[in-house]
Amino acid sequence: MQINSIEEYELAYRKSVDNPEQFWGEIAQNFQWRKPWFKVLSWNFADPEIKWFEGAKLNITENCLDRHLATDADKPAIIWEPNDPEQDSITLTYKMLHERVCRFANVLKRNGAKKGDRICIYMPMVPELAIAVLACARIGAVHSVVFGGFSAKSIADRINDAACKLVVTADGAYRGSKKIELKEVIDDALIGCSTVEKVIVLTHTRTPVSMLKGRDVWWEDEVKHVNDVCPAEEMDAEDMLFILYTSGSTGKPKGVVHTCGGYMVYAGYTFSNVFNYQPGEVYFCTADIGWITGHSYIIYGPLSQGATSVIFEGIPTYPDASRFWQIVDKHKVNSLYTAPTAIRSLMSFGDEPFANVSMDTLRVLGSVGEPINEEAWHWFDEKIGKGNCPIVDTWWQTETGGIMISPIANVTRTKPSFATLPLPGIQPCLVDENGQEIEGNGVSGNLCIKFPWPGILRTTYGDHERCRQTYFSAYPNMYFTGDGCLRDDEGYYRITGRVDDVINVSGHRIGTAEVENAINMHSGVVESAVVGFPHEVKGQGIYAFVIYPEHHSDEELTRKDILQTVTRMIGAIAKPDKIMFVSGLPKTRSGKIMRRILRKIAEGEVSNLGDTSTLLDPAVVTEIIEKAQTK
Ligand code: WTA
């Protein structure tokens, strides 16, 4: 199923459009099924209802683990690099990982979990996180991994939305020089969650934690009570595999649902092709497993292909800015998949971090999460790839399950800051404001996808109508991505960023409405409006305009209080970079906030605000501009 030349790509692409069922049916033969499908695809985007590999039975962990045991039992599946470089790294072979997954799957069962139950996972980047994820899949339980940076309130919202029965967590996490008390956050979250019956706690940082009798159990104790034999649950191709929450333009995060068969095929196929993965190679994705990139390209994609996947607990700048490069040398990494925000932050450290590293094992570089600017692209290419490694700028989303538009390493000619061409099976199109498709090259518009692919989301958990509204209603018969895009003269795609009210901060998706709701919870705040602005390292920063009658207290303290409120309500990742206190917000006569104007002001483009004739009170804008200029 690997594509090795541009001619092969063109052939595969044409086939995937002319005969998608045959195309994907053949790809799917590369995976292990308990029972074959009777129909490759049935779909409509109106409801939407999308089914891939209907009737087929499988378990994704048999594809990620069992099927490699005959030939690759002793091959490393996971190499774990701890936060502290002085501490030993850990290698788990496929055989070891299989045993541990089976054992922990039995722990889950022992604690009452069964097929279909939802399990929340809130853990540091340790091998046990991957083990917990795979153990859920082993028994057919649905995992909902929550990124370690989210607050108790965010976790509680996610646990309640999915009615999770179990939580798997750890005492704490290390992130650089910081220690994070995960169990304490879970304890706070669970005050408001009635569905959780058991909490399984891994010892990691040895932070003292409170253990509630009858509810909380230690991972290390539990594994002693079970053996490591756990036959995989037989799953229908369309049974739910996981839920992953993501922000959109409205206030509440959505639980994006992926199912077993299609997701597996798509994650495996795209991993194998985009990185041109070769047997025996070491692959390092720096994302957190709490995001979709970690799900698809640390766990499921690589393991389904028998690859060796590096899991790194720490951050790129600890103990110093050479850490990524040290890891590349130490573990002889061949492919490195990271984010533009990490690249930009590492660029600022100059050449010093390269003094004692060679990085000569690197063969393929990848970028994901946000548009990569040309400067960062060239630095990545020259400094890290030494001009020898193709850069795959991979565009995709939580909802797409896997990479959609991207070069294929060693096949597609790359171009700085372009995601280049759609992968086989992906039919992108650009649409104007009236929903008309924009044909031809040298054009730009809103990015939509015209035809389903195996990794597409099936629903948003517990609210199918919301899924329809969000993705399938803007343009009939198309999946709307929320991204703007241009297609250049040679048909290459360049993603220009979100066109909805979502901000991309360091590759993290943050809904402006969510941040506004959080700020508005702060006592004394009358109203707020949040927009993104260009940020040198983070890509976008968060700018909050807040109505807060000034006489209440001093501004600096209020600013800190608001940041604290946002941290409590969402998590530190959603803290505004800038807060401006204002006496009013620019609104239309019908009361809608004119974010367009605020965005311009946040970008520093006050001279060109566009049409302001519908403004209810122009004096408000004058005030904001004056404040912005005196800063
Ligand atoms: C953005 C991350 C430009 C985009 C896998 C998308 C990108 C959102 C790229 C999804 C890229 C992701 N170039 N923009 N290569 N990759 N994006 O759901 O705006 O966390 O809609 O999935 O990130 O973010 P999510």
Side-chain angles (χ1 to χ4, degrees), residues 283-345:
Y283 158 91
F284 175 22
C285 167
T286 70
D288 193 286
I289 290 173
W291 308 112
I292 191 69
T293 306
H295 282 59
S296 301
Y297 299 110
I298 293 179
I299 300 181
Y300 290 117
L303 297 181
S304 77
Q305 300 308 299
T308 300
S309 181
V310 176
I311 297 182
F312 173 41
E313 183 186 15
I315 56 170
T317 48
Y318 180 82
D320 60 54
S322 72
R323 190 67 196 276
F324 274 1
W325 327 131
Q326 302 280 358
I327 295 174
V328 167
D329 277 5
K330 178 171 172 192
H331 299 298
K332 304 191 169 43
V333 171
N334 306 108
S335 313
L336 175 70
Y337 191 26
T338 191
T341 187
I343 298 170
R344 285 190 300 262
S345 96

Side-chain angles (χ1 to χ4, degrees), residues 9 169 236 320 408 592 616:
Y9 162 77
T169 189
D236 193 273
D320 60 54
I408 294 175
K592 258 190 85 177
L616 177 65

Side-chain angles (χ1 to χ4, degrees), residues 118-122 146 151-161 163-170 182-201 210-217:
R118 276 81 55 213
I119 298 182
C120 173
I121 302 179
Y122 185 69
V146 178
S151 69
K153 162 111 181 27
S154 293
I155 300 166
D157 289 348
R158 285 157 171 80
I159 288 177
N160 288 333
D161 188 74
C164 292
K165 192 169 168 186
L166 265 80
V167 173
V168 185
T169 189
L182 295 182
K183 175 61 164 61
E184 199 179 298
V185 181
I186 286 291
D187 288 338
D188 287 348
L190 292 189
I191 292 168
C193 302
S194 58
T195 57
V196 174
E197 292 167 12
K198 283 284 166 84
V199 179
I200 303 173
V201 186
S210 77
M211 295 291 280
L212 199 69
K213 194 183 279 174
R215 187 193 72 180
D216 301 352
V217 294

Side-chain angles (χ1 to χ4, degrees), residues 43 45 48 50 246 254 256 395-401 404 427-429 431 446-453 455-457 467-468 470-483 498 509:
W43 69 287
F45 276 173
I50 303 148
T246 189
K254 298 176 285 282
V256 168
W395 172 82
W396 60 296
Q397 310 178 294
T398 305
E399 295 86 344
T400 70
M404 300 283 284
Q427 301 185 30
C429 68
V431 188
N446 290 345
L447 179 63
C448 292
I449 315 288
K450 288 200 276 195
F451 195 85
W453 61 99
I456 189 173
L457 86 163
C467 172
R468 191 191 67 77
T470 313
Y471 307 106
F472 300 94
S473 70
Y475 308 108
N477 274 318
M478 289 184 198
Y479 165 81
F480 175 47
T481 64
D483 280 316
R498 302 290 302 196
R509 261 166 84 166

